[in-house]
Amino acid sequence: MFKTLLLAVDVNAPEGAARSAEAAFSMARAEGATLHLLNVVPDTGMAIVGASMAADSMKNALAAAKSELERWAKANVPDDVSHHVHVAEGTVYDQIIRTSRTLDIDAIIVGAHRPELKDYLIGPNAARVARHATQSVFVVR
């Protein structure tokens, strides 16, 4: 049913990925699926902020994020789970959805923290992915 899975991993809070990662590993094994790991580096936002940064700052940030995600994968992804590492730049929920389309992903796995009052008004990344993705989305708490 699901041959390609996308797991969003925040390399800045790897302990938060533990439950969603276990769910993704279990699904990948059960389905014989390929697991794609994605870390999103937030963009600089306003142009004035980006202009004040060194020209290669984002390039360095993306390289560091990829290196950290590869380290996380080596330490956490079981040997029997086929996986690929991806890093994107931009808004987290937007890049999860874009990457899932680009890679023709069948299902997305995202972690979610306990909702706070602001989440009901604004909506966390997991809620936005669940609302806007065309694929099945599994939200793991």
Side-chain angles (χ1 to χ4, degrees), residues 41-66:
V41 177
D43 60 16
T44 56
M46 297 172 37
I48 195 166
V49 175
S52 67
M53 298 174 67
D56 60 350
S57 293
M58 187 52 70
K59 181 179 171 184
N60 292 340
L62 290 167
K66 185 168 187 180

Side-chain angles (χ1 to χ4, degrees), residues 1-21:
M1 182 171 187
F2 302 120
K3 293 301 175 196
T4 54
L5 305 172
L6 179 71
L7 172 64
V9 178
D10 182 355
V11 296
N12 294 314
E15 64 284 348
R19 289 180 58 88
S20 55

